[in-house]
Amino acid sequence: MLRPAALVFALALGPGAVLAQEFPEHPDAPSAFSTVIDARAYDESFETVADVLDQVAGVRVRRFGGLGSHSTVQVRGSKPEQVLVLLDGVRLNSAQRGAVDLSTLALRSVDKIEVIRGGGAARFGSNAVGGVIAITSRSRDADDGVDVALRAGSLGTLGADLFVSRGDDQRSTTLGYSRLSSDNDFRFDRAPPGVFASLFPTTRHTRLNADFAEDSGLLNVSRSLGASSELAGTLRLFGRQNGQPGTTRGAPLGAPDEALACLRSDESYRRGVGGVVWREPSLGEGALELSLSHRYERSELDDPDFCLTPGSLGLDSHSQSTENASSAELSWAGGARRLGALTLLPRATLGGRFEQLRSTGSESKHRVWGNLFVQQELRMFGGALRVIPALGLELADTSAGLTRLAGFGRPVEVEVDDDPAWLPRLGLIWRIVPGLRFKANYLRAYRRPSFFELFHPDYGFLRGNPALQPEDSVNFDAGLELARTSLGWLSDLRLEAVWFQRDIKDSIEWVLASRSSLPVNTGEARARGVELGGSFALLRRLRIAASYTFLDTEIRASGAPLPHSPRNQLSVHADLRLGPTRLFADWTYEDELALVASPFADQVDAARQLDVGISVRPARLAGLHWMPEGLTVTSEWTNLLGEARVDSLGLPLPDETLWFVTLRGDFR
């Protein structure tokens, strides 16, 4: 017999409604609002990790240039340093700068991306203030096979990748390699600033020295060790060589292209991430997992003309930094236990890691971390109500460093105050009726300053601040999730509506003080808003997915909004399948925003972009049945409207429509 609430809801949906699986859950944060992206759905497209993340409610990508350039992610108005990025469980956040460059992750080597919005500090510690992005590497499919793709497009873009999978029920291996390069000399308009706009004409230019070439490799292996245990290992390698075009600001009006770029500056970056995981899913009444990992990064910058770093400051024209991070973690998930009307599901994790940084012009730095996480899920009323309290403890010890406490003063050694951080979280899930859930979360989040913020060498105009206090915040969110397999002509219906608020204490922002830019604790700030998301399929041919984010932010001391935080953001994706042809389009819009934390900052204009594409499977066309079934040809056009846009530094992005073609073969 239906309960009254269930009866009302069933009548509202109509007799054609069929129940569906509920939204996905992360085992360490089941009450968190999360989105899972199937990266393999983009195998036939010229997409990047940044592109697909930009379509998620509450998420915004910052771009620092055109194709292949540095890009970072923020969640619910957070800074990139406040978003934790995991690759197969390994933290990618740099100890030097805190943020992760999304352009160093090849989407074709990824299986899925899980976005946990609202923070995850109790489980993951520092950096997980705005949220967590967990990326899982590509692994063997159900069948052995070879997956190969060739790409070409505008701006001299060329790419290729190859993935080979082999295995059986006892063992599996996936080996992959990807290559992408581009001249990337895009065209853009340069308008005179401010009052000069009506006096001088807009000039057309080419962005020089923006080329890049990158390579990535993947090895993913797993082996069964008996009835239930498993040993798995992953190795990810990435390398990139690119030019550094510099800034177009400050050059005189009418300057030639060569004067708008650092023609001889270039940069190289290398990263290796490796990990081994032993899993025992059935150990008495629980499951055990032990993981060991290491991350290595090396970056070098050559600036022979001192275009990026003025030589008058006595800086070296060549700089480099090397970072190493090792970690170990032991996780336990207990089996379900009955306690009267309650069912208990405990979890616990104990971990530690060591980070070390060596860079030009600065002595070696290191930080030691320790984390403890415990969670107890209580299920009541047959699982209709779930209460999930959790508690995390983070310990850290940061090495002392030499720095100037005042401009032009003598360097002194400064100790960093690393206090323990207790990180509580409370989550609730109420299944109102099957397929409709209410969820709510309260948690404390925390971020310790990066080495860059603490100890950046004094360049006269830029220096670190070892007196920084960690950022501290309290996060709340609550919302509804609706999932239905079928509703009349609609199928795979997913709807989500979420309200969120984050109150920040001791927010860290870069400000100008005594002619130097340095990071300071700007006091309290607030970010709150609404996320709406949904997707459905119509007649199983047309699929629509959309997300909308309203974001209201404020730095209490100044009244200024948090930088890079548009009030309104909208993304719509449409995918239509007609026999052997697939048509797809993406449209995005975001409001104007400020690039710096100041009430007097200039606003960057609102931005919109329309991308379209068509994919064809030739073997299903008349007269071409002799072609391989797994072959697809895809053409895409980005920025079809030719909108003039700028990146997160206010520098120009391509304002032309770019075209790319992908030839993919999936042979099993």
Side-chain angles (χ1 to χ4, degrees), residues 499-534:
W499 168 85
F500 64 87
Q501 178 170 314
R502 185 173 72 255
D503 292 305
I504 308 164
K505 178 183 177 183
D506 292 328
S507 177
I508 297 175
E509 300 292 344
W510 287 81
V511 301
L512 182 64
S514 301
R515 299 182 180 180
S516 294
S517 289
L518 74 161
V520 299
N521 293 110
T522 56
E524 297 183 357
R526 170 172 287 182
R528 58 186 174 184
V530 175
E531 297 166 345
L532 302 176

Side-chain angles (χ1 to χ4, degrees), residues 247-531:
T247 180
T248 60
R249 294 180 176 177
L253 297 176
D257 295 341
E258 291 76 13
L260 298 177
C262 300
L263 295 180
R264 296 203 298 161
S265 298
D266 64 77
E267 185 178 32
S268 66
Y269 174 78
R270 302 287 184 272
R271 182 181 66 214
V273 178
V276 177
V277 179
W278 171 73
R279 301 184 182 92
E280 176 51 70
S282 177
L283 189 68
E285 293 187 355
L288 199 64
E289 180 175 297
L290 173 64
S291 63
L292 304 173
S293 66
H294 184 78
R295 173 174 56 84
Y296 168 84
E297 293 186 27
R298 181 182 179 88
S299 61
E300 298 184 50
L301 173 65
D302 280 307
D303 186 21
D305 298 324
F306 292 101
C307 181
L308 302 170
T309 53
S312 60
L313 299 175
L315 303 179
D316 197 335
S317 64
H318 178 85
S319 60
Q320 66 180 40
S321 65
T322 303
E323 185 173 330
N324 285 279
S326 300
S327 65
E329 191 171 83
L330 181 65
S331 299
W332 171 74
R337 295 188 178 185
R338 294 296 300 271
L339 184 63
L342 296 178
T343 300
L344 308 180
L345 291 92
R347 296 182 68 88
T349 301
L350 177 65
R353 66 184 189 276
F354 174 81
E355 298 174 335
Q356 183 182 52
L357 173 68
R358 295 186 177 94
S359 59
T360 302
S362 178
E363 74 276 16
S364 175
K365 307 288 193 309
H366 68 265
R367 181 179 274 166
V368 181
W369 304 79
N371 292 86
L372 174 65
F373 167 73
V374 292
Q375 174 179 288
Q376 180 69 268
E377 181 175 337
L378 296 83
R379 297 190 176 185
M380 296 166 274
F381 308 113
L385 180 63
R386 300 157 62 188
V387 180
I388 310 163
L391 180 64
L393 170 63
E394 180 185 82
L395 305 173
D397 181 56
T398 306
S399 60
L402 289 174
T403 189
R404 289 185 174 93
L405 299 180
F408 306 105
R410 295 186 60 184
V412 296
E413 186 171 85
V414 178
E415 296 283 346
V416 178
D417 187 12
D418 284 310
D419 293 327
W422 291 96
L423 303 167
R425 187 186 77 209
L426 179 63
L428 179 145
I429 304 175
W430 173 32
R431 189 175 71 240
I432 302 173
V433 293
L436 178 65
R437 301 194 301 181
F438 171 81
K439 298 200 299 189
N441 297 276
Y442 160 86
L443 58 94
R444 182 191 177 201
Y446 195 77
R447 184 182 77 90
R448 300 181 189 271
S450 66
F451 289 145
F452 183 85
E453 293 168 325
L454 291 170
F455 299 117
H456 189 285
D458 190 347
Y459 285 177
F461 64 92
L462 188 70
R463 60 187 173 92
N465 180 7
L468 285 174
Q469 295 298 310
E471 293 180 314
D472 199 344
S473 77
V474 176
N475 295 3
F476 306 87
D477 62 24
L480 291 169
E481 295 176 339
L482 170 66
R484 280 293 182 268
T485 297
S486 178
L487 182 61
W489 288 357
L490 302 181
S491 59
D492 298 328
L493 177 66
R494 297 287 189 274
L495 298 175
E496 182 181 64
V498 185
W499 168 85
F500 64 87
Q501 178 170 314
R502 185 173 72 255
D503 292 305
I504 308 164
K505 178 183 177 183
D506 292 328
S507 177
I508 297 175
E509 300 292 344
W510 287 81
V511 301
L512 182 64
S514 301
R515 299 182 180 180
S516 294
S517 289
L518 74 161
V520 299
N521 293 110
T522 56
E524 297 183 357
R526 170 172 287 182
R528 58 186 174 184
V530 175
E531 297 166 345

Side-chain angles (χ1 to χ4, degrees), residues 162-165 173-177 218-220:
L162 172 67
F163 294 90
V164 180
S165 296
T173 301
T174 298
L175 184 65
Y177 170 76
L218 164 69
L219 175 63
N220 198 333

